[in-house]
Amino acid sequence: MPNEAAAPIRVPLRATSSRTSRSSARSTWSSLKQRALLCKIAQSVCEIGTARMVGITAPRSQDECTFRQRSRGKDVPAMNIGWIGLGNMGAPMTANLVAAGHRVKGFDLSEPARAAAAAGGVTVVESVADAVADADLIFTMLPAGQHAKAVITGADGVLASAPQTAVVIDSSTIDIDTARELHNAAAGAGFRFLDAPVSGGVSGAAAGTLTFMVGGDADVLDVARPAIEVMAGKIFHCGGPGNGQAAKITNNMMLGICLQATCEGAVLAERLGLDAQTFYQLASVSSGDSWALRTWYPIAGVTDTAAVNRDFEGGFATALLRKDIGLALQAGDTTGTPLAFAQAVSDRLDQLVEKGWENKDCAIMVRLVDGSDGSDGSDGSAGTQPGPAAGTTAQQQGARDE
């Protein structure tokens, strides 16, 4: 936009009566304010246009990250990033990093996961050591604490193979004690470390709108922030070591309870003769609203992001929600906190695992409500083929953690 100077504002100087003078003065002052406002708007439009040209967009709210980096440039230079765990979450997250100009090397034992990551521009390598050898930042996204511990502290793992200048970030959802052990192990080996689990699911990973819950030193977070912002809608520094995991397991406990309530409400509404789309729309703007309802409503055809539309394939695996709620129950025991609703959801998830649905999206719990699991006398077989056996390794699982 041309940077043209505004025409000068001329105030009439002819003599008038005092009443006319006061009226004219008010009118002139109003005109001045309007012109000033228009100038500010024009300046803002120019600034926004410039910002868009360099890839910086305004935050959607004050508590959001300082800006969303989608660009290359001196202010946010490209980084070398090592990534372990290229599954349902890792593949879209790394694809966003590559699209933002970062150089990403990734490792996973699962061939489909490796292929998906390669299609997103990741340089897929043959070992953890290869992935982290020259990294500025290293992310791990794995199913459970034992996997994260083995990958990070093992003989050929991250701490044994990466340069000490790298920041190590575990975005798996794991138990708090293991997260704090990893902080201590990293510090003992001379590394900076963050526990930074995420929420938002596969759709949030693909859209780059995940919520990151970070535990560790704020200064270390500032080093990693430019890369995290590519994948994040919001970043919360939750405090010291392990506090990111504390926030995550509490959040996912609440998610599981809301999901169970959504499944029960959706089936009840349908059996009462309510149109599913109408009820979904009214509930999503009423007191029954929740993220689970808006994103995972378990009636086919109501919302595109729901796993029911794809026979509960992909998404947030039942086994992983069961793990997360188990971590919350463990924390409840440790802190003396009664978690009756969480226990009830955990019991429901156990039933799903017993039916062989541990690798199906957790919204399949609707089948325990509508009877399509076979409990109402039907065989429950329509679209409910069990997933792979439960003994699959972390990388073979495709690191499906959220």
Side-chain angles (χ1 to χ4, degrees):
M1 180 180 292
N3 187 16
E4 297 176 351
I9 302 172
R10 293 183 174 85
V11 180
L13 299 176
R14 61 185 175 84
T16 60
S17 68
S18 60
R19 179 177 298 178
T20 304
S21 178
R22 286 193 298 271
S23 175
S24 176
R26 285 194 296 270
S27 176
T28 300
W29 178 240
S30 175
S31 176
L32 284 168
K33 289 195 292 183
Q34 289 174 2
R35 289 291 298 274
L37 177 60
L38 288 171
C39 287
K40 287 183 179 179
I41 292 171
Q43 181 181 6
S44 296
V45 169
C46 290
E47 290 172 350
I48 290 169
T50 302
R52 284 177 176 166
M53 284 190 288
V54 299
I56 300 172
T57 58
R60 291 184 290 273
S61 62
Q62 284 187 336
D63 64 344
E64 193 170 345
C65 49
T66 52
F67 62 86
R68 288 186 54 73
Q69 175 225 13
R70 295 289 186 191
S71 65
R72 303 168 182 85
K74 291 184 292 185
D75 292 336
V76 278
M79 296 183 179
N80 294 323
I81 297 175
W83 194 287
I84 316 301
L86 298 169
N88 288 352
M89 295 294 288
M93 292 169 78
T94 51
N96 282 332
L97 288 169
V98 171
H102 296 294
R103 297 174 291 271
V104 184
K105 292 182 181 178
F107 174 70
D108 199 297
L109 289 177
S110 164
E111 195 53 47
R114 291 164 61 87
V122 175
T123 300
V124 177
V125 296
E126 298 303 315
S127 68
V128 171
D130 290 341
V132 305
D134 58 353
D136 302 309
L137 300 177
I138 297 160
F139 288 86
T140 53
M141 175 63 84
L142 299 162
Q146 66 266 32
H147 307 122
K149 191 172 181 178
V151 165
I152 293 170
T153 66
D156 298 314
V158 171
L159 301 183
S161 307
Q164 285 188 330
T165 52
V167 175
V168 182
I169 304 154
D170 181 37
S171 288
S172 317
T173 299
I174 65 175
D175 62 283
I176 299 167
D177 288 343
T178 298
R180 289 174 177 158
E181 284 181 34
L182 291 174
H183 274 273
N184 291 335
F191 286 84
R192 295 166 291 174
F193 186 88
L194 298 171
D195 59 288
V198 301
S199 182
V202 175
S203 58
T209 58
L210 293 169
T211 297
F212 275 73
M213 294 158 267
V214 184
D217 194 305
D219 291 339
V220 178
L221 172 57
D222 286 341
V223 174
R225 186 180 292 273
I228 293 176
E229 282 174 344
V230 173
M231 303 176 283
K234 293 187 182 293
I235 302 168
F236 292 93
H237 182 226
C238 299
N243 279 19
Q245 298 296 347
K248 175 61 189 290
I249 65 172
T250 303
N251 178 77
N252 273 24
M253 177 193 76
M254 295 167 65
L255 168 66
I257 294 168
C258 289
L259 176 59
Q260 177 64 33
T262 296
C263 290
E264 293 177 8
V267 174
L268 178 61
E270 194 171 53
R271 290 180 177 177
L272 290 172
L274 296 172
D275 176 74
Q277 185 66 246
T278 300
F279 181 74
Y280 166 79
Q281 291 173 348
L282 75 86
S284 65
V285 294
S286 302
S287 54
D289 184 34
S290 69
W291 185 92
L293 181 143
R294 279 179 273 113
T295 312
W296 290 350
Y297 197 76
I299 303 298
V302 173
T303 181
D304 291 341
T305 53
V308 66
N309 299 317
R310 55 180 189 271
D311 193 29
F312 303 100
E313 293 296 337
F316 189 20
T318 293
L320 293 176
L321 180 59
R322 180 192 187 213
K323 175 207 71 176
D324 292 354
I325 291 183
L327 294 174
L329 291 171
Q330 178 183 323
D333 289 342
T334 301
T335 59
T337 307
L339 302 173
F341 284 10
Q343 183 62 63
V345 174
S346 180
D347 293 343
R348 304 290 269 181
L349 294 167
D350 285 346
Q351 293 177 51
L352 296 175
V353 171
E354 289 169 5
K355 292 178 180 294
W357 295 338
E358 63 271 12
N359 293 317
K360 292 282 192 176
D361 185 276
C362 54
I364 200 171
M365 69 169 60
V366 71
R367 290 186 172 163
L368 299 178
V369 182
D370 67 15
S372 61
D373 66 321
S375 61
D376 63 349
S378 67
D379 63 8
S381 61
T384 59
Q385 295 302 314
T392 315
T393 66
Q395 289 83 0
Q396 287 168 336
Q397 279 277 358
R400 295 187 180 94
D401 205 359
E402 182 198 310

